[in-house]
Amino acid sequence: MPLHPVSQPFARGGLLVGSLLMLILVLVSVSSFNAFNTIINFIYLPLIGICTWPRTDKIITSICIIFIFGLLLDIVSSGPLGLWSLIFLINFAVFKPHMKLKPLVFSTAFSSWFLLLFFSSILIYFFVWFSIDFPPRVMPLIIQPAIATCLFPLAYGLRHLLKKIFIDQFLRDLI
Amino acid sequence: MLGSNSNSTKASNIALITALILAGTLFISDRGSQTIFLQTRSNVEAIASPGIKFLSIPISMLKNVSSAFVERSKALSENKALRDELYKLRDYQKESRIMELKLSRLEQLLNSSNETKKTSVQTVARSYGEVNSPFVRSSLIDVGKKSNIQKGYAVSTVDGLYGHVQRVGKNSSRVLLISDINSRISVMSLRSNSRAILAGNNDDFPNLIFASNYEGWIEGDTVLTSGDGGMLPPGLEVGFVIKEATGKLVVDLNTNSKTVDWILVTHYSPIETPISQTEIQGNSTHDLASILKGF
């Protein structure tokens, strides 16, 4: 019984943080710039939001939010509708970030990020192949995850900041 | 989540499977064409564009820093090259004035108007959401229906053609880049006047296909829009021809490796399709019938 009243605001705050982080990452991911003759793209960035999805018992709400953000990314990146939703949901089902046994710490998040990135890259390769009818170039599938990996600490820091703003300090370390 | 027997876990499993099926169905039906929910897409883009614009501020600062660094490192050599070019251009300017005069006289003689006057209306806009993912190459610009932007308008930078408007929202538009796999534009060689289609391939070097005359294309040729088909204005610079080791002709785009920030949208109405003979006949029959009815 004492757990119930705690779990509600904890779940809500966690989902709010997860959603806000996803929204920011989705909107940032469509930006790009050209540095030293290489196009720097952030399209893999929203996967960090999936990797660091908060621990929550609101699984159906999480699924809906992730599905919507996938569609949003498809629209703002002008890709085929449903592609990123599919990638996000498959990652969500495989890695189950909401069911972590322990609260998320940076080292754990970073190591699981590599696993998720590798899995996502394979998924993206085959989905793009299916979408455009010929195998995509491998180089962007290496460069773009590398850029996202470089920005992982920044995104993790942003998540921490959002946690500080939106979650009560006694519950903050739980998600 | 998976493998437990509780009711909530079952419900969440069902929700997940439903969401996966829904996403999969959307993906399969939208694959290649991207024609589902076009209006919704435009509306969502219009809502999201201020957010994207705001969040791209730090990125554009990074962009400026990197381009300033590159420009400064090239400044000396560029300065010398520009001076040489300036001397050459002064001669060309003189020639151009003479040619312009000749042309206007010839036009007066032939009683025809200069076609370039048609394309004089341009709108300056900012590109802030360029996507160069493995699936698509497009960009968001901050002008839309309010600035009289229409689907199909050519979008260029100071270096050359960048793409064309694919979707128009209230205050934003989606530009399909010429390197996108769905982009097909008619081009010509400035040297030989040979025609071809520039087909995007999601790469920096789009292919030249259906060339009218393969001998008419050699490495280094300047590629311009031909205006064939009436969709894009003629004479916009696109890039230079490169011949690959396999013999395939590709184009090194002028906008490659350039920071695209400010762009120009050229207002160009496609040439209207003439009314077909049958349509005229149909209309005239109808008119005749109504006239007869009147009697």
Side-chain angles (χ1 to χ4, degrees), chain A residues 32 76 78 81 99 128 130, chain B residues 1 30-31 130 135 174:
Chain A
S32 69
V76 292
S78 199
L81 223 53
M99 288 184 80
V128 175
F130 178 70
Chain B
M1 179 174 53
D30 202 30
R31 181 179 82 103
E130 187 177 322
F135 340 102
R174 169 73 61 187

Side-chain angles (χ1 to χ4, degrees), chain B residues 12-40:
Chain B
S12 55
N13 280 346
I14 292 166
L16 182 69
I17 291 164
T18 313
L20 279 169
I21 291 170
L22 194 62
T25 314
L26 274 173
F27 176 53
I28 291 166
S29 46
D30 202 30
R31 181 179 82 103
S33 59
Q34 291 175 33
T35 49
I36 301 178
F37 309 126
L38 274 179
Q39 191 55 45
T40 318

Side-chain angles (χ1 to χ4, degrees), chain B residues 54-278:
Chain B
F54 176 72
L55 289 170
S56 71
I57 293 170
I59 292 159
S60 49
M61 278 159 72
L62 264 176
K63 211 188 266 186
N64 294 340
V65 168
S66 76
S67 60
F69 186 78
V70 172
E71 275 167 23
R72 270 171 193 271
S73 64
K74 286 182 191 169
L76 270 173
S77 58
E78 257 183 14
N79 206 0
K80 194 178 172 294
L82 283 170
R83 205 179 295 133
D84 294 341
E85 209 173 322
L86 183 72
Y87 293 137
K88 275 185 199 166
L89 284 173
R90 277 180 188 159
D91 294 336
Y92 279 125
Q93 196 185 27
K94 280 178 204 164
E95 280 177 34
S96 144
R97 278 180 188 155
I98 298 163
M99 295 285 272
E100 209 175 303
L101 199 71
K102 273 185 185 174
L103 184 69
S104 63
R105 284 196 184 153
L106 283 169
E107 275 175 359
Q108 275 175 355
L109 278 171
L110 292 168
N111 199 21
S112 76
S113 62
N114 190 348
E115 204 184 350
T116 52
K117 278 175 191 164
K118 268 189 193 173
T119 63
S120 57
V121 182
Q122 287 184 320
T123 304
V124 181
R126 213 190 128 214
S127 158
Y128 56 88
E130 187 177 322
V131 182
N132 283 307
S133 71
F135 340 102
V136 72
R137 293 201 166 207
S138 69
S139 179
L140 268 177
I141 57 170
D142 63 353
V143 287
K145 277 177 192 161
K146 273 192 173 176
S147 307
N148 295 326
I149 303 297
Q150 282 178 27
K151 191 183 167 185
Y153 279 2
V155 179
S156 50
T157 68
V158 283
D159 301 298
L161 187 68
Y162 183 53
H164 69 269
V165 177
Q166 187 189 21
R167 275 200 303 274
V168 189
K170 201 175 168 189
N171 287 313
S172 64
S173 304
R174 169 73 61 187
V175 177
L176 188 77
L177 306 193
I178 41 179
S179 53
D180 185 271
I181 197 157
N182 293 311
S183 169
R184 299 283 184 276
I185 58 165
S186 51
V187 291
M188 60 182 266
S189 160
L190 179 66
R191 184 186 54 82
S192 64
N193 218 16
S194 295
R195 302 302 214 255
I197 298 289
L198 185 71
N201 52 5
N202 282 3
D203 194 2
D204 288 341
F205 303 99
N207 303 325
L208 274 177
I209 57 168
F210 304 122
S212 62
N213 168 24
Y214 272 100
E215 286 75 41
W217 295 92
I218 57 167
E219 198 155 352
D221 272 1
T222 304
V223 181
L224 307 171
T225 53
S226 67
D228 293 341
M231 297 308 289
L232 288 174
L236 296 174
E237 270 202 49
V238 177
F240 296 93
V241 175
I242 295 177
K243 205 166 195 173
E244 287 189 338
T246 52
K248 199 167 78 173
L249 294 169
V250 293
V251 175
D252 182 8
L253 302 174
N254 282 352
T255 48
N256 272 353
S257 319
K258 298 264 168 62
T259 306
V260 177
D261 198 357
W262 293 99
I263 48 102
L264 284 168
V265 185
T266 309
H267 294 227
Y268 184 81
S269 313
I271 297 166
E272 281 174 26
T273 320
I275 306 159
S276 65
Q277 197 59 38
T278 48

